[in-house]
Short mmCIF file of all heavy atoms in Angstrom, two decimals:
data_model
loop_
_atom_site.label_atom_id
_atom_site.label_comp_id
_atom_site.label_asym_id
_atom_site.label_seq_id
_atom_site.Cartn_x
_atom_site.Cartn_y
_atom_site.Cartn_z
N MET A 191 0.84 -1.18 0.00
CA MET A 191 0.00 0.01 0.00
C MET A 191 0.88 1.24 0.00
O MET A 191 1.93 1.27 0.63
CB MET A 191 -0.91 0.00 1.23
CG MET A 191 -1.74 1.25 1.33
SD MET A 191 -2.93 1.21 2.66
CE MET A 191 -4.03 -0.04 2.02
N ILE A 192 0.42 2.27 -0.69
CA ILE A 192 1.17 3.51 -0.82
C ILE A 192 0.48 4.60 0.02
O ILE A 192 -0.74 4.75 -0.02
CB ILE A 192 1.23 3.97 -2.30
CG1 ILE A 192 1.86 2.89 -3.18
CG2 ILE A 192 1.97 5.30 -2.44
CD1 ILE A 192 3.30 2.58 -2.86
N CYS A 193 1.26 5.38 0.73
CA CYS A 193 0.72 6.48 1.54
C CYS A 193 0.23 7.59 0.59
O CYS A 193 0.98 8.03 -0.28
CB CYS A 193 1.80 7.02 2.45
SG CYS A 193 1.32 8.55 3.28
N PRO A 194 -1.01 8.04 0.78
CA PRO A 194 -1.53 9.10 -0.09
C PRO A 194 -0.76 10.43 0.05
O PRO A 194 -0.71 11.20 -0.89
CB PRO A 194 -2.97 9.28 0.38
CG PRO A 194 -3.29 8.04 1.14
CD PRO A 194 -2.00 7.55 1.70
N ARG A 195 -0.17 10.67 1.21
CA ARG A 195 0.47 11.97 1.43
C ARG A 195 1.93 12.00 1.01
O ARG A 195 2.39 12.98 0.41
CB ARG A 195 0.38 12.37 2.92
CG ARG A 195 0.91 13.75 3.18
CD ARG A 195 0.46 14.31 4.49
NE ARG A 195 1.12 13.67 5.62
CZ ARG A 195 1.05 14.12 6.85
NH1 ARG A 195 0.36 15.21 7.12
NH2 ARG A 195 1.64 13.47 7.83
N CYS A 196 2.71 10.95 1.27
CA CYS A 196 4.13 11.02 0.95
C CYS A 196 4.57 10.00 -0.10
O CYS A 196 5.75 9.97 -0.46
CB CYS A 196 4.97 10.87 2.22
SG CYS A 196 5.03 9.19 2.87
N ASP A 197 3.65 9.18 -0.58
CA ASP A 197 3.93 8.23 -1.66
C ASP A 197 4.97 7.17 -1.33
O ASP A 197 5.59 6.61 -2.23
CB ASP A 197 4.32 8.96 -2.95
CG ASP A 197 3.19 9.81 -3.49
OD1 ASP A 197 2.03 9.36 -3.45
OD2 ASP A 197 3.46 10.94 -3.96
N THR A 198 5.20 6.90 -0.05
CA THR A 198 6.10 5.79 0.30
C THR A 198 5.25 4.54 0.59
O THR A 198 4.04 4.64 0.76
CB THR A 198 6.97 6.11 1.53
OG1 THR A 198 6.11 6.25 2.66
CG2 THR A 198 7.78 7.37 1.32
N ASP A 199 5.94 3.42 0.71
CA ASP A 199 5.19 2.17 0.96
C ASP A 199 5.35 1.66 2.38
O ASP A 199 5.09 0.51 2.66
CB ASP A 199 5.60 1.11 -0.06
CG ASP A 199 7.05 0.73 0.06
OD1 ASP A 199 7.77 1.36 0.87
OD2 ASP A 199 7.48 -0.18 -0.65
N LYS A 200 5.75 2.55 3.30
CA LYS A 200 5.92 2.13 4.70
C LYS A 200 4.62 2.35 5.47
O LYS A 200 4.53 3.15 6.38
CB LYS A 200 7.04 2.95 5.34
CG LYS A 200 8.35 2.88 4.55
CD LYS A 200 9.43 2.31 5.37
CE LYS A 200 10.78 2.24 4.71
NZ LYS A 200 10.87 2.01 3.32
N VAL A 201 3.61 1.60 5.08
CA VAL A 201 2.27 1.72 5.66
C VAL A 201 1.93 0.44 6.40
O VAL A 201 2.20 -0.65 5.93
CB VAL A 201 1.22 1.98 4.54
CG1 VAL A 201 -0.18 1.97 5.12
CG2 VAL A 201 1.51 3.29 3.83
N GLU A 202 1.36 0.60 7.59
CA GLU A 202 0.93 -0.58 8.34
C GLU A 202 -0.50 -0.40 8.82
O GLU A 202 -0.99 0.71 8.93
CB GLU A 202 1.86 -0.86 9.51
CG GLU A 202 1.81 0.15 10.62
CD GLU A 202 2.77 -0.20 11.76
OE1 GLU A 202 3.78 -0.85 11.51
OE2 GLU A 202 2.48 0.21 12.89
N VAL A 203 -1.14 -1.52 9.10
CA VAL A 203 -2.49 -1.48 9.66
C VAL A 203 -2.36 -1.15 11.13
O VAL A 203 -1.68 -1.86 11.87
CB VAL A 203 -3.21 -2.83 9.46
CG1 VAL A 203 -4.58 -2.79 10.13
CG2 VAL A 203 -3.35 -3.14 7.98
N MET A 204 -3.00 -0.05 11.56
CA MET A 204 -2.91 0.36 12.95
C MET A 204 -4.07 -0.23 13.77
O MET A 204 -3.89 -0.55 14.94
CB MET A 204 -2.97 1.89 13.03
CG MET A 204 -2.60 2.47 14.36
SD MET A 204 -2.15 4.21 14.25
CE MET A 204 -3.72 5.00 14.29
N ALA A 205 -5.22 -0.39 13.15
CA ALA A 205 -6.38 -0.95 13.86
C ALA A 205 -7.38 -1.45 12.85
O ALA A 205 -7.37 -1.05 11.70
CB ALA A 205 -7.01 0.13 14.75
N THR A 206 -8.23 -2.32 13.31
CA THR A 206 -9.34 -2.80 12.48
C THR A 206 -10.63 -2.62 13.27
O THR A 206 -10.61 -2.56 14.50
CB THR A 206 -9.19 -4.27 12.08
OG1 THR A 206 -9.06 -5.05 13.27
CG2 THR A 206 -7.97 -4.47 11.21
N SER A 207 -11.74 -2.55 12.57
CA SER A 207 -13.01 -2.36 13.26
C SER A 207 -13.26 -3.54 14.20
O SER A 207 -13.05 -4.69 13.82
CB SER A 207 -14.15 -2.21 12.27
OG SER A 207 -14.30 -3.37 11.50
N PRO A 208 -13.70 -3.26 15.41
CA PRO A 208 -13.88 -4.34 16.39
C PRO A 208 -15.03 -5.28 16.04
O PRO A 208 -15.04 -6.41 16.49
CB PRO A 208 -14.14 -3.59 17.71
CG PRO A 208 -14.60 -2.24 17.31
CD PRO A 208 -13.97 -1.95 15.98
N VAL A 209 -15.97 -4.81 15.24
CA VAL A 209 -17.12 -5.64 14.89
C VAL A 209 -17.26 -5.68 13.37
O VAL A 209 -17.25 -4.64 12.71
CB VAL A 209 -18.42 -5.09 15.53
CG1 VAL A 209 -19.63 -5.92 15.09
CG2 VAL A 209 -18.31 -5.03 17.03
N GLY A 210 -17.36 -6.84 12.82
CA GLY A 210 -17.70 -6.99 11.40
C GLY A 210 -16.59 -6.76 10.40
O GLY A 210 -16.80 -6.91 9.21
N HIS A 211 -15.40 -6.38 10.86
CA HIS A 211 -14.29 -6.12 9.94
C HIS A 211 -14.74 -5.23 8.78
O HIS A 211 -14.62 -5.58 7.62
CB HIS A 211 -13.68 -7.43 9.43
CG HIS A 211 -12.35 -7.24 8.78
ND1 HIS A 211 -11.20 -6.94 9.49
CD2 HIS A 211 -11.99 -7.26 7.48
CE1 HIS A 211 -10.20 -6.81 8.66
NE2 HIS A 211 -10.65 -7.00 7.42
N VAL A 212 -15.31 -4.08 9.11
CA VAL A 212 -15.83 -3.18 8.09
C VAL A 212 -14.87 -2.04 7.72
O VAL A 212 -15.11 -1.33 6.75
CB VAL A 212 -17.21 -2.59 8.51
CG1 VAL A 212 -18.27 -3.68 8.51
CG2 VAL A 212 -17.12 -1.91 9.85
N TRP A 213 -13.83 -1.83 8.53
CA TRP A 213 -12.83 -0.82 8.15
C TRP A 213 -11.49 -1.18 8.76
O TRP A 213 -11.39 -1.98 9.69
CB TRP A 213 -13.26 0.60 8.60
CG TRP A 213 -13.63 0.74 10.05
CD1 TRP A 213 -14.88 0.79 10.57
CD2 TRP A 213 -12.73 0.86 11.18
NE1 TRP A 213 -14.83 0.91 11.94
CE2 TRP A 213 -13.51 0.98 12.34
CE3 TRP A 213 -11.35 0.89 11.32
CZ2 TRP A 213 -12.97 1.10 13.62
CZ3 TRP A 213 -10.80 1.02 12.60
CH2 TRP A 213 -11.61 1.13 13.72
N GLU A 214 -10.44 -0.60 8.18
CA GLU A 214 -9.09 -0.71 8.73
C GLU A 214 -8.54 0.69 8.85
O GLU A 214 -8.88 1.57 8.04
CB GLU A 214 -8.19 -1.54 7.82
CG GLU A 214 -8.55 -3.01 7.78
CD GLU A 214 -7.63 -3.80 6.86
OE1 GLU A 214 -7.33 -3.30 5.77
OE2 GLU A 214 -7.24 -4.90 7.25
N LEU A 215 -7.71 0.90 9.85
CA LEU A 215 -7.05 2.18 10.02
C LEU A 215 -5.58 1.99 9.69
O LEU A 215 -4.92 1.10 10.25
CB LEU A 215 -7.20 2.67 11.46
CG LEU A 215 -6.61 4.03 11.80
CD1 LEU A 215 -7.34 5.14 11.03
CD2 LEU A 215 -6.71 4.29 13.30
N TYR A 216 -5.06 2.80 8.77
CA TYR A 216 -3.68 2.66 8.31
C TYR A 216 -2.84 3.82 8.86
O TYR A 216 -3.33 4.91 9.05
CB TYR A 216 -3.60 2.68 6.79
CG TYR A 216 -4.48 1.65 6.14
CD1 TYR A 216 -5.63 2.00 5.46
CD2 TYR A 216 -4.14 0.29 6.18
CE1 TYR A 216 -6.44 1.05 4.86
CE2 TYR A 216 -4.94 -0.66 5.59
CZ TYR A 216 -6.08 -0.28 4.92
OH TYR A 216 -6.88 -1.22 4.33
N LEU A 217 -1.57 3.52 9.06
CA LEU A 217 -0.63 4.54 9.53
C LEU A 217 0.62 4.49 8.67
O LEU A 217 1.19 3.41 8.46
CB LEU A 217 -0.24 4.28 10.99
CG LEU A 217 0.86 5.17 11.56
CD1 LEU A 217 0.37 6.61 11.68
CD2 LEU A 217 1.32 4.66 12.90
N CYS A 218 1.02 5.65 8.18
CA CYS A 218 2.27 5.75 7.42
C CYS A 218 3.42 5.94 8.40
O CYS A 218 3.40 6.86 9.20
CB CYS A 218 2.21 6.92 6.44
SG CYS A 218 3.78 7.18 5.58
N LYS A 219 4.41 5.06 8.32
CA LYS A 219 5.55 5.13 9.23
C LYS A 219 6.53 6.22 8.82
O LYS A 219 7.44 6.55 9.58
CB LYS A 219 6.28 3.78 9.27
CG LYS A 219 5.40 2.62 9.71
CD LYS A 219 4.90 2.77 11.12
CE LYS A 219 5.95 2.35 12.11
NZ LYS A 219 5.48 2.43 13.49
N THR A 220 6.37 6.79 7.64
CA THR A 220 7.28 7.83 7.18
C THR A 220 6.78 9.22 7.61
O THR A 220 7.53 10.01 8.17
CB THR A 220 7.43 7.77 5.65
OG1 THR A 220 7.94 6.51 5.29
CG2 THR A 220 8.35 8.87 5.15
N CYS A 221 5.50 9.52 7.34
CA CYS A 221 5.01 10.88 7.60
C CYS A 221 3.92 10.94 8.67
O CYS A 221 3.40 12.01 8.96
CB CYS A 221 4.50 11.52 6.31
SG CYS A 221 2.93 10.85 5.71
N THR A 222 3.57 9.79 9.25
CA THR A 222 2.55 9.63 10.30
C THR A 222 1.13 9.98 9.85
O THR A 222 0.25 10.15 10.68
CB THR A 222 2.88 10.43 11.60
OG1 THR A 222 2.79 11.80 11.35
CG2 THR A 222 4.24 10.06 12.14
N TYR A 223 0.92 10.09 8.56
CA TYR A 223 -0.47 10.27 8.07
C TYR A 223 -1.24 9.00 8.38
O TYR A 223 -0.71 7.90 8.27
CB TYR A 223 -0.44 10.52 6.57
CG TYR A 223 -1.78 10.73 5.92
CD1 TYR A 223 -2.53 11.88 6.18
CD2 TYR A 223 -2.33 9.78 5.06
CE1 TYR A 223 -3.77 12.07 5.58
CE2 TYR A 223 -3.56 9.97 4.47
CZ TYR A 223 -4.28 11.12 4.73
OH TYR A 223 -5.50 11.32 4.15
N SER A 224 -2.47 9.17 8.83
CA SER A 224 -3.32 8.00 9.08
C SER A 224 -4.67 8.20 8.41
O SER A 224 -5.13 9.32 8.26
CB SER A 224 -3.49 7.75 10.58
OG SER A 224 -4.11 8.85 11.19
N TRP A 225 -5.25 7.09 7.97
CA TRP A 225 -6.54 7.17 7.28
C TRP A 225 -7.27 5.85 7.42
O TRP A 225 -6.66 4.80 7.63
CB TRP A 225 -6.35 7.55 5.83
CG TRP A 225 -5.68 6.50 4.98
CD1 TRP A 225 -6.29 5.61 4.15
CD2 TRP A 225 -4.27 6.23 4.86
NE1 TRP A 225 -5.36 4.81 3.53
CE2 TRP A 225 -4.11 5.17 3.96
CE3 TRP A 225 -3.14 6.79 5.45
CZ2 TRP A 225 -2.86 4.66 3.64
CZ3 TRP A 225 -1.89 6.27 5.13
CH2 TRP A 225 -1.77 5.23 4.22
N ARG A 226 -8.56 5.94 7.32
CA ARG A 226 -9.41 4.76 7.42
C ARG A 226 -9.78 4.29 6.02
O ARG A 226 -9.95 5.11 5.11
CB ARG A 226 -10.67 5.09 8.22
CG ARG A 226 -11.30 3.89 8.85
CD ARG A 226 -12.54 4.23 9.60
NE ARG A 226 -12.41 5.42 10.42
CZ ARG A 226 -13.11 5.63 11.52
NH1 ARG A 226 -13.96 4.74 11.96
NH2 ARG A 226 -12.96 6.75 12.19
N SER A 227 -9.93 3.01 5.85
CA SER A 227 -10.23 2.45 4.52
C SER A 227 -11.55 2.95 3.96
O SER A 227 -11.75 2.92 2.74
CB SER A 227 -10.24 0.92 4.60
OG SER A 227 -11.19 0.48 5.55
N THR A 228 -12.44 3.43 4.80
CA THR A 228 -13.76 3.86 4.35
C THR A 228 -13.81 5.34 3.97
O THR A 228 -14.86 5.84 3.61
CB THR A 228 -14.82 3.58 5.43
OG1 THR A 228 -14.38 4.17 6.64
CG2 THR A 228 -15.02 2.09 5.62
N GLU A 229 -12.70 6.04 4.08
CA GLU A 229 -12.70 7.48 3.73
C GLU A 229 -12.75 7.65 2.22
O GLU A 229 -12.49 6.73 1.46
CB GLU A 229 -11.47 8.16 4.34
CG GLU A 229 -11.56 8.18 5.86
CD GLU A 229 -10.45 8.95 6.50
OE1 GLU A 229 -10.40 10.17 6.31
OE2 GLU A 229 -9.64 8.34 7.19
N THR A 230 -13.06 8.87 1.81
CA THR A 230 -13.22 9.17 0.40
C THR A 230 -11.88 9.05 -0.35
O THR A 230 -10.82 9.22 0.25
CB THR A 230 -13.79 10.58 0.21
OG1 THR A 230 -12.95 11.51 0.90
CG2 THR A 230 -15.20 10.67 0.75
N PRO A 231 -11.94 8.74 -1.65
CA PRO A 231 -10.70 8.52 -2.42
C PRO A 231 -9.72 9.69 -2.38
O PRO A 231 -8.51 9.48 -2.49
CB PRO A 231 -11.22 8.30 -3.85
CG PRO A 231 -12.59 7.75 -3.65
CD PRO A 231 -13.14 8.45 -2.44
N ASN A 232 -10.20 10.90 -2.19
CA ASN A 232 -9.26 12.03 -2.13
C ASN A 232 -8.43 12.02 -0.84
O ASN A 232 -7.50 12.81 -0.69
CB ASN A 232 -9.97 13.37 -2.29
CG ASN A 232 -10.91 13.68 -1.14
OD1 ASN A 232 -11.49 12.77 -0.54
ND2 ASN A 232 -11.07 14.92 -0.84
N LYS A 233 -8.74 11.12 0.08
CA LYS A 233 -7.94 10.97 1.30
C LYS A 233 -7.20 9.63 1.33
O LYS A 233 -6.33 9.42 2.17
CB LYS A 233 -8.84 11.06 2.53
CG LYS A 233 -9.44 12.44 2.69
CD LYS A 233 -10.41 12.48 3.85
CE LYS A 233 -11.07 13.82 3.94
NZ LYS A 233 -12.00 14.08 2.83
N THR A 234 -7.53 8.72 0.42
CA THR A 234 -6.93 7.39 0.46
C THR A 234 -6.12 7.03 -0.79
O THR A 234 -5.28 6.15 -0.75
CB THR A 234 -8.03 6.32 0.62
OG1 THR A 234 -8.90 6.38 -0.51
CG2 THR A 234 -8.84 6.54 1.89
N ASP A 235 -6.38 7.72 -1.88
CA ASP A 235 -5.71 7.38 -3.15
C ASP A 235 -4.59 8.39 -3.41
O ASP A 235 -4.86 9.59 -3.54
CB ASP A 235 -6.75 7.43 -4.28
CG ASP A 235 -6.17 6.97 -5.61
OD1 ASP A 235 -4.94 7.08 -5.81
OD2 ASP A 235 -6.97 6.54 -6.46
N PRO A 236 -3.34 7.93 -3.51
CA PRO A 236 -2.23 8.87 -3.73
C PRO A 236 -2.41 9.75 -4.97
O PRO A 236 -1.96 10.90 -4.98
CB PRO A 236 -1.03 7.94 -3.91
CG PRO A 236 -1.41 6.68 -3.23
CD PRO A 236 -2.90 6.55 -3.39
N LYS A 237 -3.09 9.23 -5.97
CA LYS A 237 -3.28 10.03 -7.20
C LYS A 237 -4.33 11.12 -7.02
O LYS A 237 -4.31 12.12 -7.73
CB LYS A 237 -3.69 9.11 -8.35
CG LYS A 237 -2.58 8.18 -8.77
CD LYS A 237 -3.02 7.29 -9.92
CE LYS A 237 -1.96 6.26 -10.22
NZ LYS A 237 -2.45 4.90 -10.19
N LEU A 238 -5.25 10.92 -6.09
CA LEU A 238 -6.33 11.87 -5.89
C LEU A 238 -6.14 12.77 -4.68
O LEU A 238 -6.89 13.71 -4.47
CB LEU A 238 -7.67 11.13 -5.76
CG LEU A 238 -8.05 10.26 -6.97
CD1 LEU A 238 -9.33 9.51 -6.69
CD2 LEU A 238 -8.18 11.12 -8.22
N TYR A 239 -5.13 12.47 -3.86
CA TYR A 239 -4.84 13.29 -2.69
C TYR A 239 -4.42 14.68 -3.14
O TYR A 239 -3.68 14.83 -4.11
CB TYR A 239 -3.71 12.62 -1.88
CG TYR A 239 -3.47 13.21 -0.53
CD1 TYR A 239 -4.25 12.84 0.57
CD2 TYR A 239 -2.47 14.16 -0.33
CE1 TYR A 239 -4.04 13.39 1.82
CE2 TYR A 239 -2.24 14.70 0.93
CZ TYR A 239 -3.03 14.31 1.99
OH TYR A 239 -2.81 14.87 3.22
N ASN A 240 -4.91 15.72 -2.46
CA ASN A 240 -4.62 17.10 -2.86
C ASN A 240 -3.11 17.34 -2.90
O ASN A 240 -2.42 17.20 -1.88
CB ASN A 240 -5.28 18.06 -1.88
CG ASN A 240 -5.24 19.49 -2.36
OD1 ASN A 240 -4.30 19.91 -3.04
ND2 ASN A 240 -6.25 20.26 -2.02
N HIS A 241 -2.61 17.72 -4.05
CA HIS A 241 -1.16 17.88 -4.22
C HIS A 241 -0.58 19.00 -3.36
O HIS A 241 0.61 18.98 -3.05
CB HIS A 241 -0.82 18.08 -5.69
CG HIS A 241 -0.93 16.80 -6.47
ND1 HIS A 241 0.15 16.06 -6.87
CD2 HIS A 241 -2.01 16.10 -6.86
CE1 HIS A 241 -0.24 14.97 -7.48
NE2 HIS A 241 -1.57 14.97 -7.49
N LYS A 242 -1.42 19.94 -2.96
CA LYS A 242 -0.94 21.00 -2.06
C LYS A 242 -0.50 20.46 -0.72
O LYS A 242 0.33 21.07 -0.04
CB LYS A 242 -2.05 22.03 -1.82
CG LYS A 242 -2.33 22.97 -2.94
CD LYS A 242 -3.26 24.05 -2.43
CE LYS A 242 -4.33 24.36 -3.44
NZ LYS A 242 -5.35 25.28 -2.89
N PHE A 243 -1.07 19.32 -0.33
CA PHE A 243 -0.78 18.77 0.99
C PHE A 243 0.17 17.57 0.95
O PHE A 243 0.41 16.93 1.96
CB PHE A 243 -2.08 18.38 1.68
CG PHE A 243 -3.02 19.53 1.85
CD1 PHE A 243 -4.30 19.50 1.30
CD2 PHE A 243 -2.63 20.68 2.52
CE1 PHE A 243 -5.16 20.56 1.43
CE2 PHE A 243 -3.49 21.76 2.67
CZ PHE A 243 -4.76 21.71 2.11
N LYS A 244 0.74 17.30 -0.21
CA LYS A 244 1.73 16.22 -0.31
C LYS A 244 3.00 16.60 0.44
O LYS A 244 3.35 17.78 0.54
CB LYS A 244 2.08 15.95 -1.77
CG LYS A 244 0.96 15.30 -2.58
CD LYS A 244 1.12 13.82 -2.59
CE LYS A 244 0.15 13.16 -3.56
NZ LYS A 244 0.29 11.71 -3.53
N ILE A 245 3.69 15.58 0.92
CA ILE A 245 4.96 15.79 1.64
C ILE A 245 6.04 14.96 0.97
O ILE A 245 5.83 13.79 0.64
CB ILE A 245 4.81 15.36 3.11
CG1 ILE A 245 3.94 16.35 3.87
CG2 ILE A 245 6.16 15.24 3.79
CD1 ILE A 245 3.71 15.95 5.31
N LYS A 246 7.21 15.59 0.80
CA LYS A 246 8.36 14.83 0.30
C LYS A 246 9.11 14.28 1.51
O LYS A 246 9.51 15.05 2.39
CB LYS A 246 9.28 15.75 -0.52
CG LYS A 246 8.65 16.21 -1.81
CD LYS A 246 9.58 17.12 -2.56
CE LYS A 246 8.87 17.63 -3.81
NZ LYS A 246 9.58 18.74 -4.45
N PRO A 247 9.31 12.97 1.56
CA PRO A 247 9.94 12.37 2.75
C PRO A 247 11.28 13.01 3.10
O PRO A 247 11.61 13.16 4.28
CB PRO A 247 10.11 10.90 2.36
CG PRO A 247 9.03 10.66 1.38
CD PRO A 247 8.87 11.94 0.60
N GLU A 248 12.04 13.44 2.11
CA GLU A 248 13.36 13.99 2.39
C GLU A 248 13.29 15.36 3.09
O GLU A 248 14.27 15.82 3.64
CB GLU A 248 14.20 14.09 1.11
CG GLU A 248 13.65 15.00 0.03
CD GLU A 248 12.68 14.31 -0.93
OE1 GLU A 248 12.15 13.24 -0.61
OE2 GLU A 248 12.45 14.88 -2.02
N THR A 249 12.10 15.98 3.08
CA THR A 249 11.99 17.29 3.75
C THR A 249 11.53 17.16 5.21
O THR A 249 11.59 18.13 5.95
CB THR A 249 10.97 18.19 3.02
OG1 THR A 249 9.66 17.59 3.10
CG2 THR A 249 11.35 18.39 1.57
N ILE A 250 11.10 15.97 5.60
CA ILE A 250 10.55 15.79 6.95
C ILE A 250 11.57 16.16 8.05
O ILE A 250 11.22 16.87 8.99
CB ILE A 250 10.00 14.36 7.14
CG1 ILE A 250 8.76 14.19 6.25
CG2 ILE A 250 9.64 14.10 8.61
CD1 ILE A 250 8.20 12.78 6.20
N PRO A 251 12.83 15.74 7.95
CA PRO A 251 13.77 16.08 9.04
C PRO A 251 13.98 17.59 9.23
O PRO A 251 14.32 18.04 10.32
CB PRO A 251 15.08 15.42 8.60
CG PRO A 251 14.64 14.31 7.69
CD PRO A 251 13.43 14.84 6.97
N SER A 252 13.75 18.39 8.20
CA SER A 252 13.99 19.83 8.33
C SER A 252 12.72 20.61 8.66
O SER A 252 12.74 21.84 8.71
CB SER A 252 14.62 20.37 7.04
OG SER A 252 13.70 20.22 5.97
N MET A 253 11.62 19.91 8.86
CA MET A 253 10.38 20.61 9.18
C MET A 253 10.44 21.17 10.60
O MET A 253 11.13 20.63 11.46
CB MET A 253 9.19 19.65 9.07
CG MET A 253 8.87 19.28 7.65
SD MET A 253 7.45 18.19 7.60
CE MET A 253 7.19 18.13 5.84
N LEU A 254 9.69 22.25 10.79
CA LEU A 254 9.67 22.86 12.11
C LEU A 254 9.01 21.92 13.12
O LEU A 254 8.10 21.18 12.79
CB LEU A 254 8.87 24.16 12.05
CG LEU A 254 9.48 25.28 11.21
CD1 LEU A 254 8.51 26.46 11.15
CD2 LEU A 254 10.80 25.72 11.79
N VAL A 255 9.50 22.00 14.33
CA VAL A 255 8.92 21.20 15.41
C VAL A 255 7.88 22.05 16.13
O VAL A 255 8.08 23.24 16.36
CB VAL A 255 10.04 20.78 16.40
CG1 VAL A 255 9.46 20.04 17.58
CG2 VAL A 255 11.08 19.94 15.67
N ILE A 256 6.76 21.44 16.44
CA ILE A 256 5.73 22.17 17.17
C ILE A 256 6.27 22.48 18.57
O ILE A 256 6.74 21.58 19.27
CB ILE A 256 4.44 21.34 17.27
CG1 ILE A 256 3.90 21.09 15.86
CG2 ILE A 256 3.41 22.04 18.15
CD1 ILE A 256 2.75 20.12 15.80
N PRO A 257 6.24 23.75 18.98
CA PRO A 257 6.80 24.09 20.30
C PRO A 257 5.99 23.45 21.43
O PRO A 257 4.79 23.29 21.31
CB PRO A 257 6.71 25.62 20.34
CG PRO A 257 5.70 25.98 19.31
CD PRO A 257 5.69 24.90 18.28
N PRO A 258 6.67 23.10 22.51
CA PRO A 258 5.96 22.49 23.63
C PRO A 258 5.04 23.50 24.33
O PRO A 258 5.25 24.71 24.25
CB PRO A 258 7.09 22.05 24.57
CG PRO A 258 8.23 22.92 24.20
CD PRO A 258 8.09 23.26 22.75
N VAL A 259 4.04 23.00 25.00
CA VAL A 259 3.13 23.86 25.76
C VAL A 259 3.89 24.35 26.99
O VAL A 259 4.47 23.57 27.72
CB VAL A 259 1.87 23.08 26.19
CG1 VAL A 259 0.97 23.93 27.06
CG2 VAL A 259 1.13 22.58 24.95
N PRO A 260 3.93 25.66 27.20
CA PRO A 260 4.68 26.18 28.36
C PRO A 260 3.96 25.83 29.68
O PRO A 260 2.76 25.54 29.66
CB PRO A 260 4.70 27.70 28.13
CG PRO A 260 3.51 27.96 27.27
CD PRO A 260 3.30 26.73 26.43
N PRO A 261 4.69 25.92 30.78
CA PRO A 261 4.05 25.62 32.07
C PRO A 261 2.95 26.64 32.36
O PRO A 261 3.00 27.80 31.89
CB PRO A 261 5.19 25.72 33.08
CG PRO A 261 6.35 26.29 32.36
CD PRO A 261 6.10 26.24 30.89
N LEU A 262 1.97 26.26 33.15
CA LEU A 262 0.88 27.17 33.52
C LEU A 262 1.43 28.33 34.34
O LEU A 262 2.37 28.19 35.11
CB LEU A 262 -0.16 26.41 34.35
CG LEU A 262 -0.96 25.36 33.60
CD1 LEU A 262 -1.86 24.60 34.59
CD2 LEU A 262 -1.82 25.99 32.51
N LYS A 263 0.84 29.51 34.13
CA LYS A 263 1.23 30.66 34.93
C LYS A 263 0.66 30.52 36.34
O LYS A 263 -0.41 29.99 36.53
CB LYS A 263 0.68 31.94 34.27
CG LYS A 263 1.32 32.26 32.94
CD LYS A 263 0.74 33.53 32.36
CE LYS A 263 1.39 33.81 31.02
NZ LYS A 263 0.80 34.99 30.37
N ALA A 264 1.43 31.00 37.29
CA ALA A 264 0.99 30.90 38.69
C ALA A 264 -0.17 31.87 38.97
O ALA A 264 -0.33 32.88 38.31
CB ALA A 264 2.14 31.20 39.64
ZN1 ZN B 159 3.24 9.03 4.40
#
């Protein structure tokens, strides 16, 4: 399986529906994008995923880190 966001094949099944096996939840080990098998093709198909939101795996290490939440004020 190919990740819709970064186009790599490092995708694993993270969870399956507890009843009836009606969906699977996938997780990309490269960019941490996750999606359910029942979502619309523009979220699950690499060819239909919005190109504005695509990620190149080689740029991930240089992305900004979300700053930590500061301690509460007294
Ligand atoms: Zn990915």
